[in-house]
Amino acid sequence: MSEPKVGFISLGCPKALVDSERILTQLRTEGYQITPTYEDADLVVVNTCGFIDAAKAESLEAIGEALRENGRVIVTGCMGGQEAQIRAIHPQVLDVSGPHQYEAVVNAVHTYAPPPKKEANPFVDLVPPQGIKLTPKHYAYLKISEGCNHRCRFCIIPSLRGDLVSRPIGEVMDEAQRLVDAGVQELLVISQDTSAYGVDTKYRTGFWQGQPIKTRMLELAQALGDLGAWVRLHYVYPYPHVDQVIPLMAEGKILPYLDIPFQHAHPDVLQAMKRPAASEKTLERIHTWRQMCPDLTLRSTFIVGYPGETEAQFEYLLDFLQEAQLDRVGCFAYSPVEGAAANALPDQIPEEIKQERLERFMQTQAQISAEKLAAKIGRELEVLIDDVGDDGAVGRTAADAPEIDGLIYLLDDTQVQPGQRVKVKVTEADEYDLWGQRV
Ligand code: SF4
């Protein structure tokens, strides 16, 4: 009997990708074949994203395409929380489950494409213990918690995913160790609020390899730092206790990189957004961090044109950018998300003003980024190679997270391997990327 084949479409953010990996790992372990084509598949699983309206539309379109091309479709992920909306447009989907309901998805697959009998499946033990990765083999996302205790007015994550639930630290460390054992060179720690890790468990003491270890960001960063891979922290908020991880960065235990979604700088806008750590003295904090770790890369995202944002508040944000000298910055013009509290706020900003602010913001930051990258010319940096082609190799420095930050190009260098870490001297820079040569 041939193995049942499952097609898999993964949409959305890195967090959804981790969900996809878990589901795929499970299915593969049970003997399913994962197929890249609709025609081959006995059914198709679509892992959806429901974060913003554009993502929802993309999800509905992907479901529609899978239905047209294959006909047997199971829906899961963020948008699965809105089953009625999905069924109103695509009544023929076989099953709908919400985010991280791995068991429900896998059960639905069992129902509509029964798993092969054990004895007909001699390949079970060939599944690598770290699971099937959808990302390049040498970096992996490590999801440390689900949900969020904050209630930012523009966000519907808490209503989609509920309050913060931290994974036990022993389980997270086991997963990290398996990934590193399987050759992963870079662990990207993700969650909705990494600085809040363990709050829900009152920082319970767990165990890993027979040793007590607290469920807390500092202890997690220390333990991950001992594994030997690059460790990158995403979605951290500027709380005072974040200061404690900076020495680990200065010592080189974890990457000197913090991804902090500030979203704005003006205290009144932050308060209107109901942002966590809104009252922290961010500039002072950044200054202290840089004193402790001069090589620290700060990445952030911002929203311009939030309801009620005045021209003066926006200019305050531009001044903040000049002062903070952040390394990597993303910016979005505010757009309402169905179900978000911010939709009901007065003083929505006209579209043309939002766009105009977005442009001014990006121009300001482009200049800062270009200067920051130019300052790297002549330095020797460690680079993790992502890809090698006929024209050379491309990789990233500690300052660059995959998919969202910049790259470093090693022209004509074809003698390196993806996943290899090499020393590179930077020879050129523009506002996003670097060029260099191996030393
Ligand atoms: S911190 Fe705010 S924006 Fe981030 S997930 Fe929680 S509620 Fe949403």
Side-chain angles (χ1 to χ4, degrees):
M1 190 184 104
S2 71
E3 294 143 332
K5 296 191 181 77
V6 175
F8 206 101
I9 295 166
S10 186
L11 302 168
C13 62
K15 288 158 238 172
L17 199 58
V18 175
D19 285 354
S20 297
E21 283 170 4
R22 298 240 187 114
I23 298 162
L24 283 169
T25 304
Q26 181 64 29
L27 291 176
R28 184 63 166 246
T29 310
E30 293 176 344
Y32 286 87
Q33 259 192 47
I34 312 301
T35 171
T37 56
Y38 286 120
E39 309 85 88
D40 273 5
D42 293 300
L43 58 81
V44 178
V45 177
V46 183
N47 188 9
T48 57
C49 177
F51 186 33
I52 53 171
D53 286 350
K56 277 192 205 167
E58 194 195 354
S59 295
L60 288 169
E61 212 175 284
I63 297 167
E65 186 184 303
L67 281 168
R68 271 195 313 281
E69 299 293 329
N70 181 281
R72 307 184 78 225
V73 175
I74 289 172
V75 178
T76 187
C78 266
M79 221 200 142
Q82 294 148 33
E83 182 167 353
Q85 221 177 324
I86 296 171
R87 289 206 182 274
I89 297 175
H90 299 303
Q92 60 283 50
V93 295
L94 297 174
D95 192 86
V96 179
S97 52
H100 44 264
Q101 294 181 341
Y102 313 121
E103 235 183 85
V105 190
V106 171
N107 283 343
V109 174
H110 290 170
T111 307
Y112 296 102
K117 297 238 173 351
K118 265 269 180 236
E119 56 277 19
N121 177 17
F123 302 113
V124 161
D125 291 332
L126 293 181
V127 174
Q130 85 283 4
I132 296 164
K133 314 258 348 94
L134 296 183
T135 53
K137 231 178 86 204
H138 57 272
Y139 64 81
Y141 296 97
L142 187 66
K143 195 185 208 174
I144 60 169
S145 58
E146 301 286 1
C148 183
N149 284 347
H150 305 299
R151 296 293 181 266
C152 302
R153 283 203 170 105
F154 55 81
C155 176
I156 54 164
I157 292 280
S159 61
L160 286 176
R161 300 205 156 195
D163 281 340
L164 175 80
V165 179
S166 301
R167 290 177 64 200
I169 189 153
E171 193 184 304
V172 173
M173 285 307 301
D174 279 343
E175 187 172 327
Q177 179 75 67
R178 278 200 304 276
L179 290 163
V180 172
D181 289 347
V184 164
Q185 296 285 336
E186 178 176 4
L187 295 164
L188 302 136
V189 176
I190 54 168
S191 66
Q192 305 297 346
D193 176 0
T194 295
S195 33
Y197 180 57
V199 166
D200 53 316
T201 69
K202 302 198 169 56
Y203 306 114
R204 184 170 49 216
T205 300
F207 282 88
W208 186 57
Q209 296 189 334
Q211 299 295 320
I213 176 170
K214 273 198 168 187
T215 313
R216 195 162 58 178
M217 182 173 73
L218 174 64
E219 282 79 356
L220 175 69
Q222 273 164 338
L224 289 173
D226 284 337
L227 298 181
W230 277 7
V231 176
R232 199 183 287 284
L233 301 182
H234 286 284
Y235 313 112
V236 173
Y237 287 96
Y239 292 110
H241 74 269
V242 173
D243 295 2
Q244 297 168 359
V245 297
I246 308 295
L248 298 180
M249 299 183 177
E251 286 164 34
K253 268 209 149 192
I254 62 173
L255 292 180
Y257 181 101
L258 272 179
D259 173 7
I260 307 186
F262 289 120
Q263 309 299 14
H264 210 281
H266 196 284
D268 294 347
V269 181
L270 287 169
Q271 233 167 30
M273 289 174 166
K274 279 183 114 191
R275 288 296 286 166
S279 57
E280 297 301 335
K281 296 189 172 66
T282 306
L283 280 172
E284 274 175 36
R285 183 133 279 127
I286 290 174
H287 186 65
T288 316
W289 292 341
R290 288 207 168 116
Q291 273 184 335
M292 294 161 85
C293 181
D295 267 341
L296 179 66
T297 295
L298 286 171
R299 177 189 172 79
S300 191
T301 47
F302 291 87
I303 295 172
V304 295
Y306 188 73
E309 184 195 55
T310 63
E311 173 62 24
Q313 288 167 336
F314 173 68
E315 282 171 15
Y316 184 99
L317 172 59
L318 293 184
D319 289 345
F320 170 87
L321 278 187
Q322 293 290 3
E323 283 277 323
Q325 293 284 305
L326 304 174
D327 299 82
R328 297 288 185 184
V329 167
C331 185
F332 304 94
Y334 170 77
S335 76
V337 175
E338 198 190 312
N343 302 353
L345 289 176
D347 304 322
Q348 301 278 330
I349 307 290
E351 202 50 47
E352 62 276 13
I353 295 184
K354 283 193 226 169
Q355 289 308 322
E356 186 250 349
R357 288 182 185 169
L358 178 64
E359 267 168 45
R360 283 160 69 198
F361 180 103
M362 293 314 284
Q363 269 169 18
T364 307
Q365 183 57 34
Q367 173 97 28
I368 296 168
S369 297
E371 283 165 14
K372 294 222 109 188
L373 288 186
K376 296 188 183 197
I377 294 174
R379 289 191 63 186
E380 288 180 11
L381 302 171
E382 191 181 28
V383 167
L384 177 59
I385 302 295
D386 278 337
D387 206 2
V388 186
D390 293 341
D391 302 336
V394 58
R396 290 173 293 108
T397 69
D400 299 300
E403 292 164 53
I404 49 174
D405 293 331
L407 299 167
I408 179 160
Y409 295 95
L410 280 64
L411 298 180
D412 301 324
D413 192 340
T414 53
Q415 299 305 306
V416 284
Q417 299 293 322
Q420 198 180 338
R421 287 197 237 164
V422 293
K423 260 256 153 57
V424 174
K425 184 165 182 172
V426 180
T427 53
E428 254 183 80
D430 66 12
E431 67 261 47
Y432 301 109
D433 300 316
L434 299 171
W435 283 259
Q437 275 166 0
R438 239 181 328 144
V439 286

